[in-house]
Amino acid sequence: MATEGDAVAENTRGFNEGRYESTGRLDDYESLKDEARAIKEDAIERLPDLIDQVRETVEANGGTVYIADDAEDANQYITELTAERRDADRLVKSKSMTSEEIEVNEALAEAGVDVVETDLGEWVLQVADEAPSHIVAPAIHKSREAIAELFAERFDPEDPPETAEELTMFARERLGELVEDADVGMTGANFIAADSGTLLLVTSEGNARKTVTATDTHVAVAGVEKLVPTVEDFSPFVELIGRSGTGQDVTSYISTLTPPVDSPVPDFEADADALADGSAEDRDFHLVLIDNGRMSMRDDEELKETLYCIRCSACSNACGNFQSVGGHAFGGETYSGGIATGWEAGIEGLDTAAEFNDLCTGCSRCVPACPVGIDIPWINTVVRDRVNRGEVKSRQTDWVFEELVPDEEPAGLDLGTRFVGNYETVAKLGSLTAPLSNKLADVGPLRALTERVTGIDRRRDLPAFASETLVDWFEGRGGAAVPVEEAERTAVLYPDTATNYVDVERGKAAVRALETLGVHLRIPEVSGSGRPPLSQGMIASATAKAEDVYAGLVTHVDAGRDVVVIEPSDLAMFRSEYERLLPESSFERLADASYDVMEYLFGLIENGGDPAALRAPAAGTGPVASGNRVAYHPHCQARTIGVGEHATAVMERLGYDVRVSDTECCGMAGSFGYKTDYYELSMDVGEPIEAQFGDTDRTVVASGTSCGEQLDALLGSAPMHPVELVAPRE
């Protein structure tokens, strides 16, 4: 898959870093997010009433409200108003992504109206005849050099502008002339207060003000979801929009307009009396509120959260894949990034959403970035599930696969999806037949066949299955080494699929580390967490796995035993996704009892455990013996659920000098990097961490299975899990 160039990567990562810095200066950041979320939840719940209310207030102010069912309806109203009733030759626009959604420019052009974008980025794209690549920075994919070349080619100026300042001045002068001759101004709205008809416009250039005041007719185009009850409700969003989107504490222009505005209409040809008294009475205002699928989304319990979106783009900026491919690939007809799946599914349909839905890996780094707390990966999972179920086309060989890996999904589901989604079954078979299965997996023709049938890229090393599982090893050695009557704590070590069937050594290391700190352990035979099927949008299969896991662990939870988890993505299931898969009480009980293994070690030490019992740098072997310097990559989902820092704390307590990677995601994110369609993108996303750790002389440590596989591919050596670093030697 083609990436969109260095400009996208540089700008989105810059925005994302700015978000961390700006929100870090807010003492009440989380409270503001909660307040913003509550306002949106309330507004969407009361939306029909707010629509009625804003109609009354706008009409009382002297304006007009039109509720458009869809894009065609909206365009017909706007075109009749502009081309027929106003006989306008030119309309100038500012700050309206919803107008992109309805493609009003094309409709007006067909009616003979010249449409001019006045925001710099939008105007650059209009000149280039391109679509936006980013929600708030539409020309983010274009470098300064590319814009200079574009202007020189299209306008052939005598003195071509080159610097950013020269390019901005060039655009400002040309746009200024076009605005002077405009008949109608069109804006969007970040929010609309139903109680007063006031619009909130948060902009960087101020062109929205110029668009409104320079023309006597103002058309505001917005989705119905932009309504909030009162002007006071604007407050948390003003604090959050700039910080979330571009890392600015406050944007350059924050405008609140209650149109029709009462300023005089300028006459640019009247030198002596350009602002004639009384001309404000000629002003006309039309608020076009667009449904276009939104009221159906409101009734859809899974897509409803999409309507809480405030279009800040924080999810795109935090997304490793978006940083590489940009919004033209990671987006639909209008909207881009992770949240675009919900918008495009609701507005355009599943077919459009399906075109880019796979680019969400579910790494979850967008969740804490979202200022209104939308679970964007879950929306992507739901859409993926619906896409799966809507493409039921039985093929002749499906019955073979049905017998091998039966699941809860519809027949005809893509074989690659089912193969990855049933990884637990594959791992069981691989372990039972190891080492033969491992040898066969490396046979070239079989890899080629596997690639063709399942889409697993042959350039990826496949995991080597262990012939003795962790559960069998633990049982074979006689179970717990610390008697329950001598133990400080009792716990269950959850045998996740990767640890139990592939990376048994990290499981043994976890046992040594926990037992040396006085933990009485049990390792029961329990089902996989359901992470692989969930990643493929196989929600029914993931739900069945969640129910099996709960059934396998509930007796231990009832007995007061802690559940210790090595694989971060599985712990994230217990603490996050299971909320949607299990009854509320079951989810809460398992989530409250579950711990990341490094989090658990940290807790033991904090409560009196002797850190000297663990392995300090001086006692290390192999690469650890070279020093105490560690390069640590926390798993993306571990950071989202707040357990990524415990490994750092434990390692530092033991004397290690820890350098933590600063990438949001290494690009693997579960099965994503295994797929032929995305292998090269996965490697591209991994470049930053390769640049950070590629030449390091530090011991590289990573907590997630997929992270380890990606770092192995990028750096040429497999990292160890943090628990393997600190566990006593065998």
Side-chain angles (χ1 to χ4, degrees), residues 452-530:
R452 191 161 57 247
V453 174
T454 66
I456 303 299
D457 197 285
R458 72 183 78 178
R459 288 168 288 185
R460 281 280 181 200
D461 291 334
L462 295 177
F465 299 111
S467 56
E468 183 184 44
T469 67
L470 178 66
V471 171
D472 291 342
W473 167 82
F474 189 77
E475 185 178 338
R477 76 164 200 168
V482 177
V484 65
E485 59 273 14
E486 299 176 11
E488 298 292 330
R489 304 280 299 185
T490 62
V492 172
L493 185 63
Y494 173 67
D496 64 87
T497 301
T499 304
N500 197 34
Y501 298 107
V502 179
D503 200 353
V504 176
E505 292 306 313
R506 74 176 184 181
K508 294 178 181 177
V511 171
R512 294 197 302 276
L514 293 166
E515 288 184 338
T516 199
L517 291 177
V519 179
H520 171 77
L521 274 180
R522 301 184 182 205
I523 308 183
E525 190 94 47
V526 183
S527 171
S529 70

Side-chain angles (χ1 to χ4, degrees), residues 568-596:
S569 62
D570 288 323
L571 181 65
M573 289 286 286
F574 294 178
R575 288 193 181 177
S576 180
E577 284 87 350
Y578 275 15
E579 185 175 11
R580 301 179 185 275
L581 306 180
L582 293 176
E584 182 179 357
S585 61
S586 301
F587 159 70
E588 290 178 349
R589 294 190 70 212
L590 184 56
D592 290 345
S594 300
Y595 300 88
D596 172 76

